[in-house]
Amino acid sequence: MNSEYYEYQLTIDKILDSGSRSFPDREIVYRDIRRYTFRSFANSVKRLANGLRKIGVKRGEKIGVIDWDTDVYMHNYYAIPMIGSVLHTVNIRYPLELIAKTILHAEDKYLIVRDEFMPLIEKAKGIMPVGMKVISYSDSKEKVRSSLDTIDFWELIESNEPLEEETNVNENDMATIFYTSGTTGEPKGVWFNHRKIVLHAISVSLVGARPPLSLTSNDVYMILVPMFHVHAWGYPYVALMAGVKYVLPGKYDYSFILSLMDKEGVTYSAMVPTILYLLLTNPDAPRYLHVFKRWKVTIGGSALPEGLAKKAKELGITVIGGYGLSETCPVLSVGYYNSAIERLDDNTKFMAQITAGAPIPLVQIKIVDPATGKEKETGKIGEIVVRAPWLTQEYYKDPEKTKALWKGGWLHTGDLAYMDQYGYIHIVDREKDAIKSGGEFIPSLLLENAISLHPKVSQVAVVGIKDEKWGERPAAFIVPKEQVSEEEIRQFLLKLADEGKIQKWWIPDRFIFISSMPLTSTNKIDKKVLRDMTQTK
């Protein structure tokens, strides 16, 4: 039988076309510098795609991007995969040597660089890939002066017509690559094909519509996850798919972010806990209480401390937890209301929504014994293992680590958790961070959560330190809101122990007060640095 059946491919360009067709007048806003409608943005992206082709970018070639959260980056999220090339989101918070190492490992053929990062690239030109071409840009659209021979980014858009013909990109083609933050050794290359990214965006869009977020196309997103970090959790794709106004903050300046949120009517954001803390404690925050009252926030990257969640709630912010990894694209679970809790009392629902959440559509999660792989009963601690249609299939050029990642056909997260009776995940520790004292584990995240409830504590992180008698004992690093003594904290924890909320033997032997927490390249608290600090304090 003769047929002209079309095999529809789940590719990133379909998201762009769908958004510009269904929501042509919705806006993408970059700071107070540039604005686009979805229609004009799609036209601009297709001009860039044509320009990249004309300078010789080939299918399968990797293009690194070094930039803040800008409209230029947003263009590259779509234009590069659209022509069958691969977007490499370079971690700009790595040291120069590590940036160069990831660019070499990824085998980038081109590098798109914001003007303020050009001195960095000039300095590293001797260790960059031979023959790699550099495309540069400035916000002013003036040509960037450099000792390197560069191609002007804006000219690629302005001197070309939109790419109209089909590019025949396959949904199984590699679309993106980036490198993990390297908290457990050398960064590992993680990559995703078009199909995985599209399916992830669909599922995240679906779960965002559930209470308590109840997001609609009338919401305004400002995602405060760096665009180099796991596709900014997929939201640059979700925005066009869901038809929401999308606001890009550029380089993070928290006073400016608060004013931009006010000006553009932002109602939804996603971020790690540190960013929420920095916004709520910003000196300008009291001027924006009206913004907080309409604001909905998803927290991921690390556990949401109960103390921070309650502070946000007091300000009228709807805050929920979420969970995922670089290797999982990243979202696996979110603190939406499932049918088991949607009719329960408000406090039960609040405590559920600030956990790591319940699995989002198409995600399978098990809690297993790390040694045997046997599934744990409800309420019992084990390792989280997962399956979903958007998980990375391998670490780039690293078969040994890939084998460990996918042992037994499930992706191993290395996170220790338990599942409660309502189906919500409670993460208690990373395997590498778990404190083993006297042969028993002390869950650092549960202990941090307890300390965060003290009214004089702003931030807290707990690490294990070597102990001759017990093997390890916990030490708590605290950023105080005001003057507080070690004894005050200890007595507070003893009271929680008497109430059965923690074990008495979990109480840290040391409390170390610091002015600010060291952060990783993705704004998580850097426990490696804290462990080193225990040797000097």
Side-chain angles (χ1 to χ4, degrees), residues 52-106:
L52 290 171
R53 270 190 163 186
K54 284 188 176 179
I55 62 170
V57 177
K58 296 181 176 60
R59 186 170 179 153
E61 289 185 334
K62 299 180 187 71
I63 303 179
V65 177
I66 297 181
D67 199 0
W68 304 116
D69 293 5
T70 69
D71 58 330
V72 168
Y73 221 143
M74 191 83 164
H75 275 73
N76 290 316
Y77 261 59
Y78 285 92
I80 293 171
M82 178 187 293
I83 58 172
S85 301
V86 182
L87 169 68
H88 173 198
T89 53
V90 179
N91 188 330
I92 55 178
R93 295 199 178 101
Y94 279 160
L96 178 57
E97 184 179 341
L98 206 49
I99 287 175
K101 187 178 286 189
T102 60
I103 288 170
L104 284 162
H105 190 266

Side-chain angles (χ1 to χ4, degrees), residues 439-479:
E440 298 289 339
F441 282 114
I442 297 175
S444 66
L445 295 183
L446 296 186
L447 185 50
E448 288 168 359
N449 194 61
I451 298 171
S452 80
L453 294 173
H454 192 285
K456 294 182 181 179
V457 171
S458 271
Q459 285 182 295
V460 58
V462 173
V463 298
I465 54 175
K466 289 182 180 178
D467 183 90
E468 194 171 309
K469 181 178 180 181
W470 300 108
E472 280 187 311
R473 287 296 297 156
F477 285 83
I478 292 171
V479 177

Side-chain angles (χ1 to χ4, degrees), residues 244-355:
V244 297
K245 179 178 173 180
Y246 197 76
V247 182
L248 293 149
K251 185 178 181 179
Y252 291 3
D253 172 332
Y254 298 105
S255 291
F256 177 79
I257 284 171
L258 288 167
S259 67
L260 189 62
M261 286 173 61
D262 189 16
K263 178 185 175 186
E264 299 297 340
V266 170
T267 61
Y268 175 72
S269 299
M271 64 197 76
V272 298
T274 306
I275 300 296
L276 180 60
Y277 166 79
L278 291 171
L279 285 167
L280 298 190
T281 58
N282 185 277
D284 292 339
R287 294 167 48 197
Y288 296 100
L289 297 180
H290 61 289
V291 176
F292 295 153
K293 285 179 170 59
R294 69 172 184 241
W295 201 26
K296 296 168 275 193
V297 176
T298 298
I299 296 292
S302 53
L304 171 59
E306 187 178 336
L308 180 61
K310 287 183 173 177
K311 172 63 175 174
K313 185 181 179 183
E314 288 170 10
L315 294 170
I317 301 167
T318 299
V319 62
I320 72 171
Y323 171 66
L325 332 177
S326 296
E327 294 84 348
T328 63
C329 201
V331 185
L332 295 169
S333 60
V334 171
Y336 65 94
Y337 296 159
N338 66 15
S339 62
I341 69 157
E342 61 188 0
R343 292 183 177 85
L344 299 181
D345 63 275
D346 288 346
N347 186 62
T348 300
K349 288 194 288 187
F350 177 73
M351 295 308 295
Q353 76 191 51
I354 66 172
T355 68

